[in-house]
Structure formats: structure tokens, C-alpha cells
Amino acid sequence: MSSGRPVRHFLRDDDLSAAEQARVLALAAELATNRLARRPLDGPRAVAVLFDKPSLRTRVSFSVGIAELGGYPLVIDAGGTHAGRGEAVEDVARVLSRQVAAIAWRTFAQDQLAAMAAASRVPVVNALTNEFHPCQVLADLLTIQQAYGRLAGLTLTFLGDGSSNMAHSYLLGGATAGLHVRICAPAAYWPSADVVATAAAIAGRTGGSVLVTADTAAGCTDADVLATDVWTSMGQEGQEGARSEVMVPYSLDAAKLAAASAYCRVLHCLPAHRGQEITAEVIDGPASLVFEQSENRLHAQKALLCFLLEQAAG
């Protein structure tokens, strides 16, 4: 790169320091009020957005966001390329990064994403993997900040599959923001011990905290934010019955919302299954911010791209 510095990537939430995360969120808030305030991709310069998994919100928010930054969204369904027939990830990265300004990839394995980044000349963004969903959590943090005017010191509880990418990203991204993050899940679906340890270390520096519990009362009492996600993610087809059986007690319902703080807000990254991980009464009720949260994918990802492109330019 022209700066002579290593390329910055965003592969997991803790790739941003607390100060960098705050900077990205401040820019996201600016872009939420003036969507055309930044044009780092004028030309237009292209950003490749690769999909190995189905998508609505990721596809729309990256496509619209890249265009609003002055660029061209090169949307690629990987199954229709040689990558879908076994071309080396490193070769894909070398081809793309000679022609585009950045790469976003929605895929399965985190190690494949890391291999893409290691071979790329341009920033690589995690648009979702099985392990992490950091763009979504940036949007969620923006949503919480809009609702409360701050992040540090608030308590966020995630209910459901604690081993999921959302739980892992809430731990890392929430701890970075100084949140008190609680993961409330059946013991068989607790988060990675390594992720919990990393989040706890981050929280020790930011004033946040981390709690993993199977007790819904301990998880929900006085929480400022209650969040959930589907119980069975893409790639886990066939596990629905076993997962639902143990996760029913963790459904985000009116009783859990009543146990939280009086001003508690509700998040769900969508798509939602009303009557399973969340009740219709809650997701469609006055505490819900799920559609603000969905919109904020656009603003947060634009801010993230601006940050990464500025780092690349030096």
C-alpha cells in the first residue's frame, strides 16, 4: 500500500481498539444523518462483496453503502465462480485485490477469511462467518448508543445460542465498548472459552464485564438491552429439534423483558422466527429497535469502510 503500513482488516470485533471503535461509531452516527457526507470511493472505485451464504440485510446494506460512498458494489455469489469449484482462497484474494479497493466476504469458516486477508493487498471485512458477525455488532452498538446516548456501563444480555457468531461478537465488541455483557444460554451452548477469556481481558481495560450463565433471572435482571438471534443458524440444518428443546426457556418474552430495566430495549439481527427465539409481543412491541438496528448496518459498514480506506491511504 502507499502508506507502507500493513493493511488493516476487520475479521473480528477486537480488530478495532476501543478508541477506533468509538471513532467508527461516531462517523456512523454522522452518516446516519447525512448519508452522502463521505465519498472515499469516488471514481467509482469498486468493492467486491462475496457471498457463500444467503443474505438480505448484508447484501442490501453493503451494496447501497458502497454506492453512497461513491463506489461500485461488485456483488459476487461465490458459487458461480471458480472459488465455488475449489480455487484457492489466496488466489481469489490476489486477483480481486489488484482490481478493487476492499473485499467483504460472507462465508463459513473464519480461517478461510483469515487466509483471504493474509493474501490481500486491500482491506478484507468479515460480512459474517460461523464464528463472528462483527459488522452486525457495530450496527447494534450504534443502535444502543442512539437509544441511550452512551455505551460504557450499560448491560447487554444475549439470550439463546451462546456458541453462536452473534454471542461471540457481542462478547468482543461489547467488551470493547465498555458494556457489561451477559451471555444467557444452556450450558451445552456456551461460547468459546478463548473468546470469553479475550473479552474478559478487554473488559478489564474498558471498565466492562463478562458473565456467562444458564440462569435467565441472573441474565435478564436490570439489563438495559436484551438481544437474541435464531436458534439454528445456516450450516446447522437438521439440528432444529435438539436445539429448540433446550432453548425454549431462553425465548425472549414479556416476562424476561419485565425483569430487565424499565427502559430496556430489544435487539434481534433478523430474520426472526416469532414464537420461537422471540415472541411477537416483544419484537413488535415498543421496546423493539430491530428495524433501526437493521438500518444501522448501512451506516456502520459505511463508517467502517471509510476507516479502513483511510488507514490504507495513510
Side-chain angles (χ1 to χ4, degrees), residues 57 226 228-230 251-254 257 265-293:
R57 279 149 292 277
L226 294 179
T228 191
D229 191 13
V230 296
S251 178
L252 208 176
D253 55 21
L257 183 57
R265 296 294 180 261
V266 169
L267 301 180
H268 189 310
C269 65
L270 301 176
H273 301 97
R274 288 166 173 80
Q276 295 184 28
E277 74 275 2
I278 192 166
T279 64
E281 178 185 12
V282 171
I283 194 170
D284 299 319
S288 175
L289 294 176
V290 298
F291 293 105
E292 290 84 353
Q293 177 188 3

Side-chain angles (χ1 to χ4, degrees), residues 5-27:
R5 295 184 297 176
V7 180
R8 289 291 300 272
H9 305 291
F10 188 58
L11 308 185
R12 44 187 273 171
D13 307 75
D14 54 344
D15 283 338
L16 296 178
S17 69
E20 290 169 340
Q21 183 194 75
R23 176 178 162 188
V24 169
L25 292 173
L27 177 55

